[in-house]
Amino acid sequence: MLATAVPAHVPTDRVVDFDIFNPPGIETDYFAAWTALLDGPGLVWTTANGGHWIGARGDIVRQLWADADRLSSECLAVTPGLGEVMQFIPLQSDGPAHKAFRTPVVKGFASRFITALEPGVEAAARELIAGLRDRGECDFVTDFAEILPLNIFLNLIDVPLEDRPRLRQLGVQLTRPDGSITVEGLKQAADDYLWPFIEQRMREPGDDLFSRILALPVGDRPWSVDEAQRMCRNLLFGGLDTVAAMVGMVALHLARHPGDQRLLRENSDLIPAAADELMRRYPTVAVSRNAVVDVEVDGITIRTGDLVYLPSVLHNLDPACFASPEEVHFDRGLTPVRHTTMGVGAHRCVGAGLARMEVIVFLQEWLAGMPEISLSPTRAVTMKGGNVGACTSIPLVWDAKLAP
């Protein structure tokens, strides 16, 4: 953790000792570690990691996340140098350029393509479940969460499934870095891997996601090679971690709440609403923004150039934004809920529809194919913080004799 002096424009009562990568208690409860900030001011400054603001109240997180005019997405993350090196498209672009890049990407994720993927996701989930069912135990993270979403994404971009372990490690280093690889090394590893596929898709487009996007214009012109690399780099990293983290959190909820398992088994029509509510309840994504002008908020001035960290958990679990936010009520998902799990505004996650479909399919297939699960009485659940928080181990047990 790199600590810095507090700038003159930051009031002393807004300074906290909080490392976003390792807040106290994160190893056992990601959500409690973060919601501790809800007891203080709505905007705080930490001296950790070079010094930056943290949106610490739900309304402020959502307001600033959506403020694309005054807060730029170019910085990408608190990790020093990450934004300057990665230069993701469309994630790190703003204004008209962002719209021009985002439009073909969104079309590549059109609902008809997501719908067409669903049978394959169902089949992949069933195959994984069949391999686990008779074991009576598993570590859900390594045996399912790190396999199904990644395989779906790798099929989507049409790269070899045997590359999953290698690519998974790159995704983890972007969102939860441990210092074992430099930012430059991470970018180079991704580019070296992707280039043969990009070159082929630009020359001979296929039916995969990259081909669909690169076949569409950026405004009124084709993609340049540099832009294609930056876009594919963005989607690769975006697909390697976030859904795996979310599916892990959903499985953890099921293990801790056997009543919810039974309810959804008996009322499968509730599963889409349950998926929406569980995605609201267990958000782990955060974004960074840098101010391009002075911004007045919560009685504080965010100065031009200041970095602001916006964790979705502090919007979704703020009692001022949601009634009893830490409780899961599946009927809450029956009506549109303005949570921030997938972002808000111009930069809302382009893969939100795919992620939702995967969570729904997971719930449908897991509950249909597995007996009631619970947490192992002898092994602990572990978690890790970062720009995407996640469980690193979810030890599950079940009575294999009761398998469907």
Side-chain angles (χ1 to χ4, degrees):
M1 180 179 73
L2 175 63
T4 59
V6 179
H9 68 281
V10 176
T12 56
D13 63 350
R14 298 296 179 116
V15 179
V16 296
D17 180 14
F18 195 92
D19 180 356
I20 61 168
F21 296 108
N22 193 32
I26 197 75
E27 300 88 355
T28 56
D29 194 332
Y30 172 90
F31 302 97
W34 270 102
T35 54
L37 288 179
L38 289 172
D39 295 332
L43 191 69
V44 297
W45 178 276
T46 175
T47 56
N49 300 298
H52 59 88
W53 295 105
I54 301 174
R57 197 173 70 218
D59 59 329
I60 289 175
V61 170
R62 189 169 178 90
Q63 172 192 340
L64 296 181
W65 201 315
D67 193 345
D69 293 329
R70 300 184 298 171
L71 295 170
S72 171
S73 61
E74 289 185 0
C75 64
L76 181 62
V78 167
T79 307
L82 192 63
E84 293 86 345
V85 170
M86 289 298 175
Q87 297 184 343
F88 286 148
I89 286 176
L91 187 60
Q92 288 180 254
S93 54
D94 294 305
H98 174 258
K99 182 178 181 180
F101 289 127
R102 182 182 172 89
T103 297
V105 174
V106 169
K107 289 180 179 178
F109 280 100
S111 59
R112 67 182 184 276
F113 297 122
I114 304 305
T115 300
L117 279 174
E118 195 165 338
V121 179
E122 292 169 346
R126 289 172 193 155
E127 182 178 356
L128 278 175
I129 290 166
L132 295 174
R133 190 183 293 122
D134 295 337
R135 288 171 44 178
E137 64 178 1
C138 75
D139 187 322
F140 185 82
V141 173
T142 56
D143 293 332
F144 195 98
E146 291 187 345
I147 298 176
L148 180 67
L150 273 71
N151 281 2
I152 298 307
F153 182 74
L154 298 186
N155 275 324
L156 188 61
I157 62 175
D158 193 20
V159 302
L161 294 185
E162 57 264 31
D163 295 342
R164 173 177 49 79
R166 168 188 174 189
L167 295 175
R168 170 64 178 162
Q169 288 308 305
L170 296 183
V172 169
Q173 289 302 322
L174 182 84
T175 57
R176 296 181 293 280
D178 63 10
S180 62
I181 186 171
T182 65
V183 170
E184 292 79 8
L186 185 60
K187 180 249 187 187
Q188 192 61 52
D191 284 356
D192 289 346
Y193 177 81
L194 285 170
W195 173 244
F197 301 104
I198 296 171
E199 192 276 333
Q200 182 184 40
R201 275 109 171 114
M202 295 187 80
R203 178 169 39 85
E204 299 175 4
D207 297 325
D208 61 282
L209 177 64
F210 287 167
S211 292
R212 290 200 301 268
I213 295 171
L214 292 171
L216 295 169
V218 178
D220 58 357
R221 61 173 179 79
W223 292 80
S224 70
V225 170
D226 176 67
E227 291 165 349
Q229 287 184 294
R230 293 165 61 190
M231 182 274 292
C232 293
R233 188 188 307 148
N234 188 168
L235 296 191
L236 177 71
F237 279 115
L240 290 178
D241 196 42
T242 52
V243 180
M246 176 54 65
V247 170
M249 292 298 180
V250 171
L252 178 61
H253 177 89
L254 294 178
R256 286 175 168 168
H257 298 87
D260 283 351
Q261 292 186 57
R262 292 191 288 270
L263 176 63
L264 293 178
R265 281 194 175 94
E266 295 166 3
N267 302 273
S268 59
D269 58 315
L270 281 177
I271 285 178
D276 291 333
E277 170 66 350
L278 291 167
M279 291 172 74
R280 177 207 65 81
R281 171 57 182 86
Y282 296 102
T284 63
V285 174
V287 297
S288 302
R289 298 286 187 263
N290 55 293
V292 295
V293 296
D294 288 358
V295 178
E296 302 289 337
V297 61
D298 196 41
I300 297 295
T301 301
I302 300 173
R303 297 293 187 194
T304 302
D306 282 357
L307 190 69
V308 188
Y309 195 73
L310 304 171
S312 57
V313 61
L314 294 187
H315 173 251
N316 290 11
L317 297 187
D318 186 342
C321 298
F322 297 94
S324 304
E326 297 194 15
E327 297 178 8
V328 168
H329 299 289
F330 295 149
D331 57 354
R332 191 178 346 228
L334 293 172
T335 57
V337 177
R338 296 174 69 249
H339 64 68
T340 313
T341 299
M342 292 295 172
V344 60
H347 286 275
R348 188 173 188 273
C349 176
V350 294
L354 174 62
R356 181 177 185 269
M357 180 270 282
E358 291 184 61
V359 173
I360 290 172
V361 168
F362 160 65
L363 286 168
Q364 291 171 336
E365 299 301 331
W366 186 270
L367 293 171
M370 291 289 285
E372 187 171 290
I373 57 170
S374 59
L375 293 175
S376 168
T378 60
R379 298 166 57 204
V381 173
T382 56
M383 302 183 180
K384 189 172 182 182
N387 297 315
V388 179
C391 293
T392 53
S393 180
I394 307 174
L396 299 180
V397 294
W398 59 87
D399 186 344
K401 296 190 296 296
L402 300 178

